[in-house]
Amino acid sequence: MQAKYKKLFEPYTLNNDVVLKNRLVVAPLTIYDSGPDGELTPAAHNFWRNRFRGFGTWIVPFTNVHPSGIGFESPNAFHEENLPTLKAYATISHEQGAKAIIQLAHAGIHADPAMTKGYDLMGPSNLPYMGVRAMTDSEVREMVNAFAYATELAIRAGLDGVEIHGANGWLIQQFVSETYNQRTDHWGGSVEKRFNFPLAIIDAIEVVRHKYHRPDFIVGYRFSPEEPGEVGLTMTETLALVDRLLDKPLQYIHISLWNFYKKIRRGGDVKKTRMEAVHDRINGRLPFIGVGDLFAEEQGLKAFNTGWADLLAVGGSVELNPNLIELIKTGQEDQIQSEFDWNEMDSYRFTPAMLYGTLAGNAMFPKVKQN
């Protein structure tokens, strides 16, 4: 391995004394590989086989905490019957030597009515044109408990942690955003009240950690820094949320970006990147995971060298290179693919259905090579 890459393989100790063996994280890749009940399929087993060997951490993608929040084929964590699948994810990760952190989520207004098992489409506020009704206070509290129960299942399954998915326009971000949250009760109105839902989820998860005496269980939070539109999230609200997250018993904060170097649009210094602004606000108080269009190893190293991220999440490059770490460690960087090539389908291990869903639903999918 070239000396310049060694810093990516240095261990990192979290604030609960858990040691990650290196700074590289497999991003939560939604590849549409689950069965109708969220179970792991043979195709999924084949896809994940040895794909992230050498990484320190794997974030298991979008995992439904409630049947009302299913938006696409992904794992479930809302019933005792989901335990075998969750245990299988833990086994897949541990066999490859990585910590397994499962991403807990609810699609909210973007749930698929064909998949939500008879539940209404629900969100923070009424959106009649989308067929969405506002959640009642008791339903919001039920959803907080659903995140907590999913955490309990994760602990019992042998997973190493959970990531609260407050990004990408799903339910938690819908509560934080004035675009979707027009409530005037405990769960909306002022900026601070719009934070109550994610903060209540963190508190409920902490109760579960105490119940199982698991201070070593990792809890992270992922967020999107800005939204388009006149009343969408700006960096002002995001940095205020970061301040509140820093007061909570989290092990890391994880940003969701399409581009690591994207600059602030509104609510901050537009000359700064979003990564830099959040990094400066955190000021070393929690580990910060960076991500964003880093398909090649040199791009990842350059991003890490900015000093804005303590850990680096890699997505598209893992999809195209099942042996990515091996290639870096053996000096074969020239073999790393950064563009999807139809001629290499067998090596990617996508099934046609998985590929179709990923191409259609993932804006972060690598560029397709032009023949």
Side-chain angles (χ1 to χ4, degrees):
M1 178 172 60
Q2 295 187 53
K4 63 182 180 180
Y5 293 114
K6 288 184 178 179
K7 62 183 71 177
L8 295 174
F9 294 92
E10 293 175 353
Y12 192 95
T13 303
L14 301 174
N15 60 10
N16 61 350
D17 294 328
V18 171
V19 178
L20 306 179
K21 71 180 184 184
N22 60 42
R23 309 302 184 93
L24 296 171
V25 178
V26 179
L29 299 171
T30 298
I31 57 167
Y32 303 85
D33 60 342
S34 294
D37 293 314
E39 71 274 17
L40 271 162
T41 61
H45 275 286
N46 184 51
F47 182 85
W48 293 119
R49 172 178 47 85
N50 291 334
R51 186 167 291 267
F52 46 86
R53 187 172 295 279
F55 279 85
T57 309
W58 176 35
I59 301 177
V60 181
F62 195 111
T63 300
N64 304 296
V65 302
H66 196 274
S68 64
I70 301 173
F72 45 85
E73 299 90 346
S74 59
N76 295 329
F78 51 73
H79 195 282
E80 189 82 11
E81 293 173 359
N82 304 139
L83 261 177
T85 294
L86 299 177
K87 288 179 179 178
Y89 275 110
T91 298
I92 288 171
S93 191
H94 294 157
E95 284 179 345
Q96 297 184 52
K99 299 288 186 186
I101 297 175
I102 197 160
Q103 188 183 69
L104 303 183
H106 187 291
I109 67 173
H110 300 302
D112 184 345
M115 304 179 75
T116 52
K117 305 181 188 299
Y119 282 90
D120 295 338
L121 275 182
M122 297 184 290
S125 302
N126 290 315
L127 294 172
Y129 64 94
M130 293 181 66
V132 173
R133 69 165 178 83
M135 298 168 67
T136 65
D137 177 81
S138 62
E139 285 172 332
V140 178
R141 296 178 190 277
E142 176 189 352
M143 210 56 65
V144 171
N145 291 334
F147 277 86
Y149 179 64
T151 301
E152 185 167 339
L153 290 176
I155 290 174
R156 291 170 56 199
L159 292 155
D160 300 294
V162 295
E163 178 175 277
I164 301 163
H165 197 356
N168 299 355
W170 305 118
L171 182 65
I172 294 176
Q173 184 175 328
Q174 291 161 26
F175 268 88
V176 172
S177 171
E178 189 179 1
T179 300
Y180 303 104
N181 188 345
Q182 304 297 320
R183 303 175 75 101
T184 57
D185 61 357
H186 177 72
W187 308 106
S190 66
V191 173
E192 283 296 317
K193 285 187 174 182
R194 296 203 305 272
F195 295 162
N196 282 338
F197 183 54
L199 297 178
I201 290 171
I202 296 171
D203 290 344
I205 286 174
E206 182 63 7
V207 170
V208 174
R209 273 208 297 198
H210 280 288
K211 174 183 174 181
Y212 282 88
H213 309 289
R214 289 293 306 276
D216 62 317
F217 192 75
I218 300 165
V219 180
Y221 188 96
R222 195 177 199 200
F223 67 95
S224 293
E226 295 189 82
E227 290 176 337
E230 292 303 314
V231 294
L233 285 175
T234 72
M235 288 302 296
T236 300
E237 292 89 354
T238 292
L239 294 178
L241 175 62
V242 167
D243 288 340
R244 297 301 305 274
L245 295 175
L246 292 172
D247 291 333
K248 293 297 181 180
L250 298 172
Q251 276 61 67
Y252 69 82
I253 297 176
H254 182 187
I255 200 167
S256 180
L257 286 173
W258 289 1
N259 189 300
F260 188 89
Y261 301 99
K262 190 73 173 177
K263 291 186 177 179
I264 294 169
R265 287 181 59 247
R266 297 180 298 147
D269 183 350
V270 296
K271 295 179 182 179
K272 273 189 171 184
T273 66
R274 294 160 174 171
M275 280 294 306
E276 184 181 10
V278 176
H279 165 267
D280 290 350
R281 194 59 160 252
I282 294 172
N283 195 26
R285 288 175 286 175
L286 271 181
F288 184 31
I289 301 180
V291 70
D293 198 23
L294 306 175
F295 293 119
E297 76 294 340
E298 285 286 353
Q299 292 173 331
L301 182 63
K302 178 183 175 183
F304 190 74
N305 284 339
T306 63
W308 298 336
D310 305 289
L311 303 161
L312 209 61
V314 183
S317 194
V318 175
E319 291 178 314
L320 300 188
N321 301 277
N323 58 340
L324 179 66
I325 302 300
E326 179 187 354
L327 293 174
I328 294 173
K329 285 192 169 183
T330 57
Q332 300 180 74
E333 294 86 1
D334 60 331
Q335 300 299 311
I336 294 174
Q337 297 185 52
S338 59
E339 292 184 332
F340 179 86
D341 187 343
W342 290 101
N343 297 318
E344 297 291 333
M345 274 288 291
D346 288 344
S347 68
Y348 302 148
R349 304 203 298 263
F350 277 111
T351 66
M354 288 162 55
L355 178 61
Y356 174 78
T358 305
L359 284 170
N362 186 358
M364 286 298 294
F365 194 77
K367 296 176 182 178
V368 177
K369 185 176 181 179
Q370 301 297 316
N371 292 324

